[in-house]
Amino acid sequence: VSALVALQSCQCLAWKPRPVVAWGAESQHVVAGYSDGTMRVFSISRTEMELKMHPHAAALTAIAYSTDGEMILSGDKDGLVAVSSPRTGMTIRVLGDHKGSPITVLQCTRKQYYDFGVEGGELWLATSLDRRVSVWASDWLKDKCELLDWLSFPAPASPEGLCSLPPSLAAFCPWEHGTLVYVGFGMQKEALFYSLRKKQVVEKISLPYFATSLSLSPAARFMAVGFGERLLRLLRCPASDAQDYTGHDDTVHLCRFAPSGRRLLTASHSAILLWELTGG
């Protein structure tokens, strides 16, 4: 799909999840968030824009589909999170809990309410640049959205030698249910595994630098971490093995495992690399 949006830059993208029954089928829709606060849904098969929504007054910085593809979550540079329906084009909820700091990550995962004693068929998280992570349980069809946990990670008062702070990034752990992984500027250079059940950090993995990108494999216990030092680290968790790779020309600002877990896409300023994972 090639779409020209005058005077606006695309800030974030998300593929619509494919139906569980359609094994082997590719998603036919993608949503894009723009610098003017709009988001647009594009049809891949028809190569055209299907819907334009304007849920934000500020530039979008993160976007994600709900696990069933029925809702779109979007976050902006002012810290607002909107929940919109691509069926109706209406924004059904705006959350201001992170107001004042740009949203860096939005992610949804399929969970049942009995996992944590709250109602909802889905968990989702929002992360903002000020090192805060909120975790929510939602049932969009019943208009239910409940805050499950609120995390705030400490950091030194005055960073030295950093021209800009590294991003705050969080992701649900695919192989350890009820756990999320967090990286960001803090007291130590590390990845933190936080248990939503125990309400505490249960594991810490030391890193050589502050991370600039993060991805967890959905198929195996692998974690990819990118750094501003043109380095990519692949970790087998628990942290028994770590491999470092060079090849990027600048900050590794994107890591993304394929749904199969067998391939990893990484990107820097002018290089996109595709990695093939071998072994178990």
Side-chain angles (χ1 to χ4, degrees), residues 3-14 30-42 49 51-64 72-78 80 82 84 89 91 106:
L4 178 62
V5 181
L7 302 178
Q8 300 302 326
S9 60
C10 180
Q11 309 285 80
C12 44
L13 284 168
V30 65
V31 64
Y34 290 86
S35 55
D36 64 347
T38 61
M39 57 188 186
R40 295 165 170 83
V41 177
F42 296 95
M49 186 180 77
L51 179 66
K52 176 184 175 182
M53 294 176 278
H54 200 161
H56 298 272
L60 270 74
T61 52
I63 201 162
I72 297 172
L73 284 71
S74 53
D76 66 24
K77 71 172 186 177
D78 290 339
L80 295 181
S84 307
T91 297
L106 290 168

Side-chain angles (χ1 to χ4, degrees), residues 205 221-223 234-243 278-280:
I205 296 178
R221 291 174 173 262
F222 281 108
M223 179 169 68
L234 188 64
L235 291 144
R236 187 193 297 268
C237 301
S240 58
D241 187 26
Q243 293 176 298
T278 58

Side-chain angles (χ1 to χ4, degrees), residues 16-17 65-72 84-87 140-141:
K16 182 177 181 180
Y65 271 97
S66 61
T67 54
D68 60 6
E70 293 299 314
M71 294 293 169
I72 297 172
S84 307
S85 167
R87 288 185 181 271
W140 302 121
L141 294 178

